[in-house]
């Protein structure tokens, strides 16, 4: 069997869903499980409703829910009706309106935000199931929530692998054996007592990988709006090239440092069994895309040891200087304990003799971190920074690379430089406004185009 995941732009409207249907049809012999994201931008729109609720803006809330409903209705109509799917969506939208109406004037709790954000996948999967069924294939809509059993960390829930393994095999394998195509949701799950959760933004890729791992898929296909993993984000570098193949490590590093095309955790569940991930363009289904697997033959891009450049904006740098602690044991441990206690993830770290700089993406719990770090030394925070990462398996073995990197990064001021433990990335922290220019200059230096 295979898992085929379709991202937001690949289900954005009726035309995209029709393309999806043809891709699924071409895969029926491989017995696909189809995982879908919400229609493009719907998750953002749903989360946007939380602001109207908080502001007590009942009219804004009504308009927001109505616009979402209309978008799904138009898509259903263009797909030729999808009447029972639309009835289910309309009923759920009405329930959502009532739930949110009851919360008018206050901030939604994390559990409520997850129940809200996950609606998009529940609705899109109904439309997709109807379209696949309408095209003469045997589709079955499957609610992933009782299968994707997670903990209660709303907004970034972690699935329980034993429960997922048992339930996915029990619920999905019999459908595949009957020759049916299960159509289910990415991104969402539920706690053992049935409270809805989400796996984090962009999490549908992770869902696909998890299902691929527990169902022992031949491959996991990630259908998106670009031709695969590229030498840079084509929105920043229009001449970026598609990589024919990549290693799991490269894919994971790129994703961690901003290549949105894959969720950073996607490779994780697939490494042990060596299941390949193929990133494909749903508007050009015959293009080969990028294959990510251990045995992939990695092409050299000219003489470049670098294979891709990514960047991530809206990064905060936390600096800690601990003069009194100079040489003291335990300073780093004490510092990391603070981050661990507040569950704040650190991306890049650089340490000197008396000071440490690190980057964090999620600012929501930063205040208590800064307060607690203040007990260890002097702390200062810099906002609106970007991380630029240069990734390539060849970085491990290429001496003299630093000079080329520095030449390309100038004249931007580099605030932190770090080489990851895996030695396949070099990261730079720069001011956010310098990020795209640095990416373009690095692309020019290593691939000859920008
Ligand atoms: P989906 O909705 O299919 O999940 P996303 O928007 O999450 O798609 O990810 C696809 C986008 O990732 C592309 O449109 C592209 O702009 C961006 N991207 C960033 N870095 C890269 C890269 N190195 N290779 C390919 N795409 C990239
Ligand atoms: N729809 C979700 C999001 O926008 C999940 C995904 O697209 O992967 O984050
Ligand atoms: Mg995505």
């Amino acid at each position: 069997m295979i898992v085929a995941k379709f991202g937001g732009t690949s289900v954005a409207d009726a035309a995209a869903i029709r393309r999806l249907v043809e891709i699924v049809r071409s895969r029926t012999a491989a017995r696909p499980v189809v995982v879908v994201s919400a229609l493009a931008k719907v998750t953002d729109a749903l989360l946007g409703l939380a602001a109207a609720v908080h502001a007590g803006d009942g009219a804004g809330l009504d308009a927001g829910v109505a616009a979402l409903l209309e978008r799904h209705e138009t898509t259903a109509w263009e797909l030729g009706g999808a009447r029972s799917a639309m009835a289910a969506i309309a009923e759920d939208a009405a329930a959502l309106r009532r739930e949110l109406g009851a919360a008018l004037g206050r901030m939604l709790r994390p559990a409520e935000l997850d129940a809200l954000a996950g609606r998009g996948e529940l609705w899109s999967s109904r439309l997709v199931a109807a379209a696949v069924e309408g095209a003469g294939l045997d589709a079955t809509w499957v609610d992933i929530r009782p299968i994707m059993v997670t903990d209660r960390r709303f907004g970034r829930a972690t699935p329980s692998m034993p429960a997922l393994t048992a339930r996915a095999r029990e619920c999905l394998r019999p459908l595949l054996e009957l020759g049916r195509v299960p159509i289910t949701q990415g991104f969402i799950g539920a706690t053992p007592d049935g409270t809805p959760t989400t796996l984090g933004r962009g999490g549908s890729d992770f869902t696909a990988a998890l299902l691929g791992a527990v169902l022992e898929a031949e491959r996991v296909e990630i259908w998106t709006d670009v031709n695969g993993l590229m030498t840079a984000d084509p929105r920043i570098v229009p001449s970026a090239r598609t990589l024919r193949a990549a290693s799991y490590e490269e894919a994971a590093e790129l994703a961690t440092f901003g290549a949105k095309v894959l969720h950073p955790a996607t490779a994780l569940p697939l490494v042990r069994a060596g299941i390949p991930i193929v990133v494909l363009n749903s508007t050009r289904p015959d293009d080969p895309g990028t294959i990510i697997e251990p045995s992939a033959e990695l092409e050299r891009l000219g003489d470049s040891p670098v294979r891709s450049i990514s960047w991530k904006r809206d990064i905060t740098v936390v600096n800690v200087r601990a003069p009194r602690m100079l040489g003291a044991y335990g300073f780093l441990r004490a510092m990391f304990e603070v981050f661990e206690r507040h569950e704040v993830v650190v991306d890049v770290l650089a340490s000197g003799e008396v000071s440490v700089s690190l980057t964090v993406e999620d600012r929501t719990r930063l205040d208590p971190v800064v307060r607690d770090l203040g007990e260890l030394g002097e702390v200062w925070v810099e906002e609106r920074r970007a991380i630029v990462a240069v990734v390539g398996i060849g970085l491990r073995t290429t001496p003299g690379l630093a000079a080329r990197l520095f030449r390309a990064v100038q004249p931007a001021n580099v605030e932190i430089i770090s080489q990851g433990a895996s030695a396949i990335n070099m990261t730079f922290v720069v001011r956010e406004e310098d990020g795209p220019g640095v990416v373009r200059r690095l692309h020019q230096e290593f691939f000859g185009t920008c």
Side-chain angles (χ1 to χ4, degrees):
M1 59 84 55
I2 65 167
V3 177
K5 174 262 172 177
F6 294 85
T9 44
S10 302
V11 293
D13 52 25
I17 294 176
R18 275 194 220 101
R19 284 195 294 273
L20 173 156
V21 169
E22 290 317 310
I23 292 167
V24 172
R25 196 196 298 286
S26 71
R27 263 56 183 172
T28 45
R31 298 193 302 158
V33 168
V34 175
V35 172
V36 298
S37 293
L39 308 194
K41 308 233 160 50
V42 163
T43 313
D44 288 336
L46 283 163
L47 286 169
L49 297 177
V53 172
H54 189 193
D57 177 6
L61 174 60
D62 281 341
V65 175
L68 281 165
L69 193 56
E70 196 189 320
R71 165 114 185 257
H72 288 79
E73 264 163 359
T74 307
T75 309
W77 185 80
E78 286 172 6
L79 286 170
R83 286 247 287 281
S84 68
M86 211 41 241
I89 296 170
E91 191 180 318
D92 194 44
L96 176 67
R97 173 66 189 85
R98 281 194 302 278
E99 283 163 34
L100 295 179
L104 273 178
R106 68 168 171 83
M107 245 166 102
L108 292 180
R109 291 184 281 269
E112 293 171 318
L113 282 172
D114 270 9
L116 169 63
R119 246 58 182 226
E121 271 67 12
L122 289 167
W123 298 348
S124 64
S125 57
R126 292 268 184 202
L127 293 178
V128 168
V132 174
E133 183 95 57
L137 299 171
D138 288 327
T140 302
W141 181 82
V142 176
D143 184 345
I144 200 72
R145 289 171 296 179
I147 298 174
M148 191 63 70
V149 180
T150 73
D151 60 15
R152 305 185 64 82
R153 285 151 54 106
F154 298 104
R156 55 200 167 110
T158 304
S160 146
M161 290 311 283
L164 169 62
T165 307
R167 301 228 177 137
R169 290 181 182 173
E170 186 188 321
C171 303
L172 297 170
R173 278 198 176 149
L175 292 172
L176 293 173
E177 275 153 22
L178 286 172
R180 302 195 69 88
V181 182
I183 312 277
T184 195
Q185 307 81 30
F187 182 52
I188 63 175
T191 62
D193 68 7
T195 308
T197 55
T198 65
L199 308 182
R201 294 305 306 268
S204 295
D205 303 325
F206 189 38
T207 304
L210 288 163
L211 291 177
V214 302
L215 296 172
E216 297 163 325
E218 281 157 48
R219 63 178 183 275
V220 172
E221 295 183 345
I222 303 290
W223 290 91
T224 184
D225 61 351
V226 287
N227 263 1
L229 224 51
M230 305 180 73
T231 51
D233 185 344
R235 290 181 208 197
I236 305 281
V237 182
S239 66
R241 284 191 267 162
T242 306
L243 300 175
R244 283 285 144 259
S247 70
Y248 288 128
E249 278 173 294
E250 287 176 328
E253 296 286 355
L254 285 173
T256 302
F257 294 112
K260 199 182 153 222
V261 63
L262 277 185
H263 182 278
T266 312
L268 216 58
L270 301 171
V271 172
R272 186 138 41 103
I275 298 169
I277 306 168
V278 194
V279 183
L280 293 151
N281 187 338
S282 63
T283 64
R284 301 173 63 168
D286 295 329
D287 284 4
T290 303
I291 179 149
I292 302 164
E293 62 172 351
S295 61
E297 177 98 6
L298 304 181
E299 77 269 41
R300 288 281 291 201
L301 300 163
D303 66 343
S304 178
V306 172
R307 302 207 341 119
S308 188
I309 300 154
S310 58
W311 82 298
K312 193 153 86 169
R313 65 195 309 159
D314 208 11
I315 296 295
T316 303
V317 176
V318 181
N319 304 284
V320 191
R321 185 186 291 132
R324 284 172 292 116
M325 295 271 191
L326 187 60
Y329 293 109
F331 170 64
L332 281 178
R333 183 176 48 79
M335 213 183 72
F336 278 114
E337 267 170 14
V338 172
F339 285 91
E340 197 181 329
R341 192 159 59 242
H342 297 289
E343 297 186 352
V344 173
V345 178
V346 172
D347 278 333
V348 176
L349 165 84
S351 64
E353 224 172 334
V354 291
S355 71
V356 177
S357 301
L358 21 78
T359 67
V360 300
E361 198 182 350
D362 178 5
R363 265 193 306 266
T364 49
R365 286 178 298 265
L366 203 56
D367 288 348
V369 167
V370 169
R371 187 193 58 221
D372 291 2
L373 287 175
E375 288 170 18
L376 302 175
E378 184 193 347
V379 184
W380 70 107
V381 171
E382 291 156 327
E383 294 188 337
R384 303 206 59 243
R385 297 302 192 260
I387 299 176
V388 176
V390 169
V391 175
I393 237 151
L395 259 61
R396 244 183 215 144
T397 50
T398 311
L401 196 64
R404 282 180 80 185
L405 287 168
F406 284 120
R407 201 167 47 237
V409 170
Q410 278 170 9
N413 185 30
V414 177
E415 299 182 353
I416 303 179
I417 304 168
S418 169
Q419 179 153 30
S422 64
I424 69 159
N425 78 50
M426 283 280 281
T427 49
F428 305 87
V429 175
V430 297
R431 288 180 178 278
E432 192 171 271
E433 60 271 26
D434 292 336
V438 169
V439 171
R440 279 192 281 268
R441 284 198 297 281
L442 285 165
H443 202 272
Q444 175 74 49
E445 171 70 27
F446 288 103
F447 304 112
T449 60
C450 60

